[in-house]
């Protein structure tokens, strides 16, 4: 898409349209356990993205033919709601949401101890309430917090964020204008503890050197998001522990 006249994605001071430096994330808010009837849930805001994730299971796998006698499967359903974008989105699955659901399921299957729950399905619903680019990454960040909130045994949380190329500059966490008018977008999910990459896609063009710099920048972003995911879970469970302690105090 051509850049509208007069729009400068990076200004003379090196700042981006929303005032960020190239290596800055958008403001992030993560809350664990926001839905009462889900087994686990999380809400994430990443800039103007607003995303809910709900987890149910492990439960009997449907459709039945997907059951695996040796392990559980993760079935992720990414759904962008009609009112989440400027031009109303037609409700229901489309090629994009089917693709995103598949790659998010695959990333989550890499961290859950699937062998502990043969024949079951762990269902993860991701609802994009408001979208402003980077929703697959914010959705994955939310989904892994929701899985942990559900108490599903897993070896790590999965933080994700994108990096890319905008006005010939490598930047972190592209917003909508940068995604639309930039040169490349590279969503990445990365486990800081083990150094594993669980998701990597790329849209657009970069040289090998730019690609390597973008990957490093996105890894740094993931490390920061990882700390926020842990804090969100600690916040929820420290409240529960202190509530239990005060109840125990009342009884005795
Ligand atoms: N988008 C939209 N309508 C659509 C799909 C996407 O307006 O049907 C917008 C939305 O803001 C989304 C952005 O385009 O966040 C980038 O979409 P992309 O497919 O790159 O996925 P994302 O960056 O959200 O993971």
């Amino acid at each position: 898409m051509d850049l509208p006249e007069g729009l400068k994605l990076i200004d003379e001071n090196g700042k981006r349209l929303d005032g960020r430096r190239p290596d800055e994330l958008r403001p992030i808010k993560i809350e664990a356990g926001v839905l009462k009837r889900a087994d686990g849930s999380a809400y994430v805001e990443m800039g103007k993205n607003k995303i809910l994730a709900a987890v149910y299971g492990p439960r009997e796998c449907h459709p039945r033919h997907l059951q695996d006698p040796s392990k559980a499967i993760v079935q992720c359903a990414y759904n962008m709601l009609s009112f989440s974008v400027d031009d109303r989105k037609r409700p229901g699955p489309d090629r994009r949401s089917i693709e995103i659901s598949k790659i998010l399921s695959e990333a989550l299957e890499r961290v859950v101890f699937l062998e502990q729950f043969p024949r079951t399905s762990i269902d993860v619903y991701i609802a994009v309430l408001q979208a402003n680019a980077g929703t697959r990454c914010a959705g994955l960040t939310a989904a892994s917090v929701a899985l942990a909130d559900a108490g599903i045994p897993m070896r790590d949380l999965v933080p994700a964020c994108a990096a890319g190329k905008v006005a010939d500059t490598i930047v972190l966490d592209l917003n909508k204008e940068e995604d639309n008018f930039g040169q490349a977008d590279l969503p990445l999910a990365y486990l800081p503890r083990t150094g594993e990459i669980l998701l990597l896609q790329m849209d657009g063009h970069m040289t090998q050197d730019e690609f390597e710099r973008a990957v490093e920048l996105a890894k740094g972003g993931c490390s920061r998001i990882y700390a926020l995911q842990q804090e969100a879970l600690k916040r929820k469970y420290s409240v529960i522990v202190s509530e239990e302690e005060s109840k125990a105090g009342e009884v005795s």
Side-chain angles (χ1 to χ4, degrees):
M1 212 185 283
D2 287 336
L3 191 67
E5 228 177 274
L7 187 72
K8 266 194 179 168
L9 292 174
I10 309 267
D11 71 11
E12 39 294 322
N13 302 316
K15 290 277 180 73
R16 296 153 70 177
L17 276 179
D18 53 13
R20 283 183 292 159
R21 293 186 312 272
D23 62 351
E24 246 181 285
L25 289 167
R26 290 174 283 188
I28 300 181
K29 183 175 140 186
I30 305 179
E31 207 178 325
V34 291
L35 301 173
K36 201 167 161 221
R37 289 190 191 84
D39 293 325
S41 59
Y43 173 68
V44 167
E45 284 182 9
M46 193 170 187
K48 291 179 189 158
N49 289 317
K50 296 187 178 188
I51 295 177
L52 259 180
V55 167
Y56 297 86
R59 61 186 180 183
E60 193 179 351
C61 180
H62 287 287
R64 279 265 176 93
H65 68 88
L66 292 179
Q67 272 188 12
D68 186 330
S70 63
K71 59 179 169 60
I73 60 167
V74 174
Q75 297 194 84
C76 192
Y78 166 101
N79 184 18
M80 188 170 233
L81 298 172
S82 301
F83 52 80
S84 66
V85 286
D86 290 337
D87 296 322
R88 176 182 178 278
K89 181 186 166 297
R90 197 159 171 263
D94 52 16
R95 281 174 64 102
R96 177 178 172 276
S97 64
I98 292 168
E99 173 218 317
I100 296 178
S101 300
K102 181 175 187 296
I103 55 158
L104 300 191
S105 303
E106 287 169 358
L108 293 170
E109 284 194 337
R110 296 275 305 278
V111 290
V112 174
F113 290 114
L114 302 170
E115 292 72 18
Q116 294 189 10
F117 307 102
R119 296 184 193 283
T120 66
S121 171
I122 297 167
D123 300 327
V124 182
Y125 297 93
I126 297 176
V128 179
L129 311 177
Q130 190 171 287
N132 194 256
T135 58
R136 73 195 62 205
C137 291
L140 189 50
T141 297
S144 67
V145 173
L147 280 171
D149 181 49
I152 292 176
M154 55 203 283
R155 63 190 172 90
D156 222 333
L157 293 163
V158 186
C161 75
K165 182 177 169 186
V166 165
D168 294 326
T169 309
I170 301 302
V171 300
L172 183 61
D173 188 21
L174 281 68
N175 66 20
K176 182 81 168 75
E177 288 76 21
E178 294 172 332
D179 185 297
N180 283 1
F181 305 117
Q183 293 144 298
D185 179 29
L186 183 146
L188 181 117
Y190 167 74
L191 305 186
R193 252 173 7 97
T194 59
E196 285 163 89
I197 290 177
L198 302 191
L199 181 154
L200 193 158
Q201 298 185 292
M202 191 170 101
D203 189 12
H205 300 279
M206 281 192 265
T207 64
Q208 184 164 345
D209 172 61
E210 288 168 339
F211 170 80
E212 283 165 13
R213 282 193 286 135
V215 167
E216 285 313 307
L217 197 57
K219 283 182 179 178
C222 288
S223 299
R224 280 178 257 162
I225 294 169
Y226 185 62
L228 298 175
Q229 290 178 304
Q230 289 175 314
E231 275 171 31
L233 286 161
K234 281 186 197 152
R235 250 193 333 269
K236 181 187 168 195
Y237 287 97
S238 59
V239 170
I240 291 179
V241 169
S242 59
E243 278 170 4
E244 291 299 322
E245 281 170 356
S246 61
K247 266 191 218 153
E250 280 164 24
V251 173
S252 59

